[in-house]
Amino acid sequence: MALGSSLVFVLLLSVWLTAKCDQIPSEVCMECRDRYFLIAVDLSFAGNEARFEAIDGTGVYPITKQYAAVCGYSVSVLHLKGNVELRASYFSCHTDNKDDEFFTFSFNLVVNHEGEDVTYALKKTCSPTLPWSPREVTCEANYMEVSVRSDVACPTGTKTDDWNAAVQTAYASANSDWQVMFQKVEEPLKPMELSEARTQGYVFDLTEGRLVFRTPYGQPESFNTEVNGVPVEVVHATLFSRQSWVVLMVDLVAACSMSEGSYDDAGYMVWETPEVLNPYVSGLTNTRVSVGISGELLEQSVAEESGFIVEKHNGSVEISIPYNAEGGYRKSFVSGDLNEYYIFHLYLEQIAVDEDHVDTRLRFHRTLATPLLPRPVFTENRTVLEERVFTIYLGDVPEDVEVSAVQLNEHKHIYKFGHESGHSITKVVHPNNTHGYTLKVPFDDPAVIKKFSKEDEAMKHILEVNYTLTVLPENETFFHLTSVLALSDITPPEFDAVCSESGISFKLDHRPFDYLWHISIGSDLLSPELATQHGYIMTNDSQSLLLEVPLFTHGYVYEDVALKGFLGTFEILIQYQGTSEVQSSTVKTCPFSTAEFVLCSTDGKMTVVADLSLAISSGGIPARSNLLNTHCGPKEADDTRALFSFPLNSCGSIIKLGKEYVTYENEISFSRKVNLQKNPSDSSNEIDRVTVQCTYPLAGLYRLFSFYKFVSDAAGVGNIVHSSLLTEVLQKPTLEFDTVLQTPVPATRRNRPVLVKLGHRLKVPTHLQYLQSLFKVE
Ligand SMILES: *[C@@H]1O[C@H](CO)[C@@H](O)[C@H](O)[C@H]1NC(C)=O
Ligand SMILES: *[C@@H]1O[C@H](CO)[C@@H](O)[C@H](O)[C@H]1NC(C)=O
Ligand SMILES: *[C@@H]1O[C@H](CO)[C@@H](O)[C@H](O)[C@H]1NC(C)=O
Ligand SMILES: *[C@@H]1O[C@H](CO)[C@@H](O)[C@H](O)[C@H]1NC(C)=O
Ligand SMILES: *[C@@H]1O[C@H](CO)[C@@H](O)[C@H](O)[C@H]1NC(C)=O
Ligand SMILES: *[C@@H]1O[C@H](CO)[C@@H](O)[C@H](O)[C@H]1NC(C)=O
């Protein structure tokens, strides 16, 4: 908006003689204004039914919409202001006028209270303090009114051609009564009796000192034009009367800017009026403008402070009002999101001085509305991590909007105001007519989503908030969403692990938030029962958890098995309570060097290291030892020990099938073949036999029977029995067998599979069939 054009304000002191309001009844307010009565009725009192009736000596006249425009009344319902307003011109049809100095308006206010009309007969007398100007024009919301001093009612400044045409028409008219001609550009003049003009909505009135002309907008005799780019509606009436050879003529021009105002990018409502309103009246030299709101002019300094800008350029006056200027009314409106608009009741006075120094006073009552402007609310994350509470502030909520519900995450519960199981919402009111809400939700609230974040090594707390906001009084709702996230420093617990000769010890010191974690071994949750079942030794007190896992118990994985030892690995898994996802694990691998051991793998392999020192004393060499199938020799051997590794179903293993267990058994023995090769028939040269066993529960072997492939849910339990030392038992479940089978051995030793029946409790024929099929010699 270009500044710097001539900026003219009129210093104006608005002093009203009369008291502001006659409080009868208290909801009705009557005021004297410059040139009109102002009657304001509270909407709560008026309801939707408030009606006005003008009263004078001749009767009671309901002020309807149409009648108001003709007779000088303007009624509007101002929802934002909260009242119904009636402006009645001092020259309105039924106002009593004493010498243009005392005006009395008598009227009925009819309101509907609980279905019944109640009538209040009211009266107001006003005396304008501002002297009447020679010519005054009021551009009301619904009509234009012109009054001129009757003694200056000679045509001044009217274009000569118009005047001549009017005079000619006047002479041609035979009637000596007053008549009126409406002049419209390019249209023939049509004289009309005043009574006829009255029926068409034009009012002409002669008061003590003034001639009054009033017309509603949009009359057939009006015309719209553009003056310096501003739309203007004009009604040009010429009154005349021919008395013998004298023609009396009065020229009355009502012209008003019809600018609807526009909204500019800088946030101003802009309204325009031409400096010279009537293009058909020339010679006006100077224009002064004062602006105001709601029918009252503001002093220049006040207007400037409020940000009003009055500029003149290119022959028009431009009034710019900041969208949020004081005196305007704002309203929230939901259109997708939250919007708002502002309404101004602009009041403007324009004083024009012409060459004869006769000034014209123009007054405008115009209602301007901004378009819908976005009015976002905002949310701010005010969370303080240490408090472990989400604090979210929702701000810039306008006065006429309130939060009606809050939804936390996908929780179907709609939380209303107040405190509820830990979370709370409180309202904060600001002096700038906005308010806000502080929402607090503890991290541990059930509504908060918790996820362990591996990369952050922290617990992620996620809260999505869906606020329902309601615009009052229409109850229109919209939603505001926000999402906050906080990382709280929770790492999964970590065990300290220590290797010992006989196993691995795990130790965990308890921390406050460890309840969020589950400890498991494989797929089983660690519990005292599980520990007992698997032979772990668990001690758990308020300080720490100690778990001792003996070697060869459930859960170990073995690698690098050799005579000198092997590696045993045990893993403890940590899962976040909410998900079954494994978040971390403690894995410990320890070297073990046990003199003798048997490993029975889940995929059906027996790995055994046996101490053969007893055999050595009777002349055996470990490297020469073998299994039942003499072709199955050791993988590795030293002076006293040998390592065998072979599939359970091979090397002449004997399979012992019981009700619940199956045991694969083999034997390590020495054949002094090398020394006694020359006497192969000697079969009594086998000494100290070492029996090795793997036992599996049948229940965990279902895949063996459905896929013909050895897969066990758990590792088998190994056992070594020395024939010469029958007491040496490593691990031995108490077993009872129904069936015993042997896998193929070379013909030199046994010709064919042997089936030994031990009892009659054969309840697993499938197993048996399968096992037999395994031993068929190809
Ligand atoms: C004034 O009128 C001139 C010529 O018509 C035009 O170029 C100029 O933009 C106008 N200025 C304003 C502020 O409207
Ligand atoms: C209103 O005041 C509050 C508190 O001072 C501030 O946060 C907010 O931004 C203000 N809003 C507007 C629209 O000025
Ligand atoms: C917000 O809540 C309202 C009412 O419960 C629902 O209709 C809307 O879909 C929600 N919005 C989102 C994004 O969840
Ligand atoms: C808005 O809601 C309130 C309370 O629920 C109710 O009293 C009022 O009548 C409603 N207003 C409209 C316009 O629906
Ligand atoms: C919210 O505030 C917390 C605490 O200051 C911070 O950790 C987090 O990153 C913030 N941002 C979001 C989007 O939640
Ligand atoms: C150990 O004790 C603590 C309480 O002292 C308990 O919370 C935890 O569940 C226990 N752990 C196991 C594996 O039983």
Side-chain angles (χ1 to χ4, degrees):
M1 188 171 300
L3 279 163
S5 325
S6 61
L7 191 64
V8 182
F9 276 102
V10 168
L11 257 181
L12 205 128
L13 292 165
S14 311
V15 182
W16 314 117
L17 238 197
T18 39
K20 278 268 167 184
C21 281
D22 296 343
Q23 307 285 336
I24 341 161
S26 63
E27 294 86 356
V28 181
C29 174
M30 301 192 286
E31 283 180 29
C32 298
R33 291 288 174 89
D34 257 352
R35 294 297 183 248
Y36 63 93
F37 299 90
L38 175 69
I39 316 299
V41 184
D42 267 13
L43 265 182
S44 56
F45 179 72
N48 292 326
E49 304 279 321
R51 303 191 313 272
F52 296 95
E53 295 167 343
I55 304 172
D56 65 10
T58 66
V60 177
Y61 303 88
I63 301 175
T64 61
K65 195 176 169 206
Q66 201 184 357
Y67 195 72
V70 171
C71 272
Y73 305 101
S74 180
V75 180
S76 38
V77 180
L78 309 172
H79 285 286
L80 301 186
K81 211 171 167 182
N83 63 21
V84 181
E85 273 187 13
L86 163 66
R87 287 192 294 266
S89 163
Y90 287 163
F91 294 128
S92 55
C93 295
H94 308 289
T95 298
D96 182 56
N97 179 349
K98 290 252 163 350
D99 308 327
D100 294 338
E101 277 176 31
F102 298 97
F103 298 91
T104 303
F105 177 45
S106 303
F107 65 102
N108 284 335
L109 165 66
V110 186
V111 293
N112 193 292
H113 284 163
E114 289 152 7
E116 268 185 47
D117 280 352
V118 183
T119 303
Y120 296 90
L122 301 166
K123 187 198 250 187
K124 180 77 180 170
T125 300
C126 293
S127 185
T129 47
L130 189 71
W132 291 98
S133 307
R135 181 167 177 264
E136 300 211 350
V137 180
T138 299
C139 298
E140 247 298 354
N142 51 342
Y143 62 84
M144 300 187 273
E145 185 184 80
V146 186
S147 80
V148 292
R149 226 161 65 196
S150 43
D151 60 351
V152 294
C154 342
T156 49
T158 306
K159 278 185 189 166
T160 325
D161 288 348
D162 291 350
W163 185 246
N164 290 344
V167 171
Q168 279 161 18
T169 312
Y171 268 110
S173 163
N175 202 327
S176 64
D177 280 348
W178 283 97
Q179 295 199 27
V180 63
M181 282 184 297
F182 290 100
Q183 305 201 28
K184 229 170 147 175
V185 187
E186 313 272 310
E187 267 183 41
L189 302 164
K190 198 180 83 190
M192 216 189 269
E193 299 281 340
L194 288 191
S195 55
E196 192 197 338
R198 177 66 183 80
T199 63
Q200 297 196 10
Y202 301 102
V203 169
F204 295 92
D205 193 18
L206 196 60
T207 70
E208 183 65 26
R210 301 184 74 80
L211 185 55
V212 179
F213 165 52
R214 188 167 47 243
T215 169
Y217 291 107
Q219 287 285 82
E221 285 75 20
S222 73
F223 61 95
N224 293 293
T225 181
E226 218 172 70
V227 181
N228 302 332
V230 182
V232 170
E233 180 169 336
V234 182
V235 177
H236 186 172
T238 306
L239 279 177
F240 69 90
S241 172
R242 189 175 68 99
Q243 279 142 15
S244 71
W245 56 272
V246 181
V247 176
L248 294 176
M249 296 190 94
V250 184
D251 211 25
L252 295 162
V253 178
C256 291
S257 160
M258 299 306 282
S259 164
E260 285 181 348
S262 56
Y263 187 75
D264 74 8
D265 296 340
Y268 283 86
M269 241 359 259
V270 181
W271 188 83
E272 288 178 299
T273 180
E275 267 199 89
V276 179
L277 262 158
N278 180 9
Y280 306 97
V281 177
S282 59
L284 295 174
T285 55
N286 200 3
T287 298
R288 289 177 292 170
V289 171
S290 342
V291 289
I293 284 282
S294 297
E296 287 189 84
L297 295 173
L298 299 171
E299 284 187 41
Q300 184 186 340
S301 59
V302 176
E304 278 176 351
E305 254 171 49
S306 302
F308 285 70
I309 300 169
V310 179
E311 288 175 317
K312 287 187 192 176
H313 43 67
N314 284 3
S316 70
V317 182
E318 206 175 83
I319 319 295
S320 302
I321 310 166
Y323 73 98
N324 56 354
E326 214 181 307
Y329 297 92
R330 79 162 288 287
K331 179 83 193 82
S332 296
F333 187 84
V334 177
S335 168
D337 232 328
L338 181 61
N339 291 277
E340 64 181 0
Y341 62 87
Y342 289 83
I343 285 188
F344 299 94
H345 299 294
L346 174 68
Y347 185 54
L348 188 88
E349 189 186 64
Q350 193 175 350
I351 300 169
V353 185
D354 77 1
E355 58 201 2
D356 301 334
H357 309 289
V358 177
D359 63 318
T360 297
R361 232 178 243 278
L362 282 109
R363 292 188 187 80
F364 291 92
H365 291 273
R366 289 289 182 257
T367 295
L368 308 178
T370 66
L372 283 185
L373 309 170
R375 175 62 194 262
V377 295
F378 71 90
T379 35
E380 194 180 288
N381 175 12
R382 295 187 176 169
T383 306
V384 177
L385 272 182
E386 291 68 36
E387 293 173 358
R388 294 184 57 80
V389 172
F390 280 116
T391 305
I392 305 166
Y393 177 74
L394 172 72
D396 268 0
V397 182
E399 272 177 309
D400 58 347
V401 175
E402 65 173 35
V403 166
S404 50
V406 180
Q407 187 179 322
L408 304 178
N409 283 329
E410 295 293 289
H411 277 234
K412 292 292 164 241
H413 312 288
I414 303 293
Y415 298 104
K416 302 278 182 191
F417 280 94
H419 294 251
E420 202 175 309
S421 61
H423 40 253
S424 69
I425 183 159
T426 44
K427 187 169 171 176
V428 188
V429 179
H430 298 299
N432 60 9
N433 293 332
T434 71
H435 60 278
Y437 297 88
T438 305
L439 174 70
K440 285 182 176 281
V441 181
F443 286 179
D444 297 326
D445 191 281
V448 175
I449 294 171
K450 297 163 202 102
K451 274 189 192 152
F452 179 72
S453 159
K454 237 175 203 159
E455 63 269 30
D456 299 309
E457 290 247 303
M459 190 65 72
K460 216 182 239 177
H461 301 263
I462 300 163
L463 182 64
E464 277 175 16
V465 186
N466 181 349
Y467 293 93
T468 304
L469 293 114
T470 304
V471 175
L472 302 174
E474 297 86 356
N475 291 353
E476 279 190 78
T477 56
F478 66 100
F479 305 105
H480 182 79
L481 303 171
T482 187
S483 146
V484 284
L485 186 149
L487 293 174
S488 70
D489 193 19
I490 293 183
T491 50
E494 256 182 74
F495 282 91
D496 282 332
V498 188
C499 300
S500 73
E501 230 171 81
S502 59
I504 305 176
S505 296
F506 293 92
K507 185 169 181 266
L508 175 73
D509 290 325
H510 293 311
R511 300 173 309 170
F513 298 107
D514 281 352
Y515 66 88
L516 291 168
W517 305 94
H518 283 157
I519 299 165
S520 59
I521 289 157
S523 54
D524 303 316
L525 221 55
L526 178 63
S527 63
E529 295 73 33
L530 187 84
T532 311
Q533 187 193 334
H534 289 316
Y536 309 142
I537 301 146
M538 187 171 107
T539 34
N540 185 19
D541 59 26
S542 58
Q543 298 297 312
S544 57
L545 170 75
L546 191 70
L547 184 71
E548 286 175 61
V549 187
L551 189 59
F552 303 124
T553 52
H554 172 82
Y556 271 99
V557 173
Y558 308 99
E559 282 172 295
D560 298 349
V561 183
L563 274 184
K564 65 175 177 358
F566 60 92
L567 297 177
T569 301
F570 197 89
E571 184 175 25
I572 294 181
L573 303 176
I574 309 291
Q575 285 165 300
Y576 176 59
Q577 215 185 37
T579 66
S580 48
E581 214 180 306
V582 174
Q583 307 293 3
S584 83
S585 64
T586 301
V587 183
K588 183 70 179 174
T589 300
C590 297
F592 294 99
S593 50
T594 309
E596 266 197 330
F597 59 90
V598 188
L599 303 177
C600 306
S601 76
T602 54
D603 60 354
K605 209 161 125 190
M606 190 187 302
T607 304
V608 57
V609 168
D611 182 350
L612 304 174
S613 44
L614 286 170
I616 295 163
S617 56
S618 37
I621 302 166
R624 295 272 161 80
S625 60
N626 57 256
L627 297 172
L628 284 177
N629 181 336
T630 50
H631 293 289
C632 297
K635 287 243 160 16
E636 200 190 343
D638 61 14
D639 291 348
T640 56
R641 298 180 307 150
L643 182 150
F644 291 89
S645 182
F646 59 99
L648 291 167
N649 292 326
S650 64
C651 295
S653 293
I654 292 164
I655 299 165
K656 295 179 175 176
L657 187 62
K659 231 169 86 181
E660 288 171 20
Y661 295 93
V662 59
T663 294
Y664 294 83
E665 187 177 288
N666 214 313
E667 253 175 48
I668 302 169
S669 57
F670 297 90
S671 57
R672 282 178 234 144
K673 269 183 201 156
V674 179
N675 299 342
L676 304 170
Q677 234 160 15
K678 283 164 193 170
N679 189 7
S681 62
D682 185 356
S683 59
S684 68
N685 48 15
E686 292 168 36
I687 54 158
D688 182 44
R689 287 184 191 173
V690 179
T691 306
V692 292
Q693 292 177 328
C694 275
T695 299
Y696 293 88
L698 275 176
L701 282 178
Y702 67 95
R703 270 173 285 203
L704 171 62
F705 307 111
S706 43
F707 301 117
Y708 286 42
K709 182 173 177 232
F710 193 99
V711 180
S712 169
D713 284 352
V717 176
N719 201 17
I720 298 182
V721 185
H722 292 268
S723 64
S724 53
L725 204 67
L726 278 168
T727 46
E728 192 185 333
V729 173
L730 292 180
Q731 301 134 11
K732 189 177 168 76
T734 316
L735 301 172
E736 222 185 309
F737 300 108
D738 296 319
T739 310
V740 175
L741 297 162
Q742 189 179 22
T743 55
V745 290
T748 52
R749 296 200 50 168
R750 288 186 177 100
N751 302 345
R752 55 187 194 82
V754 177
L755 173 65
V756 187
K757 281 201 176 169
L758 290 181
H760 303 284
R761 291 178 293 157
L762 212 56
K763 283 175 191 156
V764 280
T766 338
H767 303 176
L768 198 60
Q769 278 165 16
Y770 169 59
L771 291 167
Q772 284 173 333
S773 77
L774 280 179
F775 312 140
K776 282 201 183 114
V777 186
E778 302 286 306

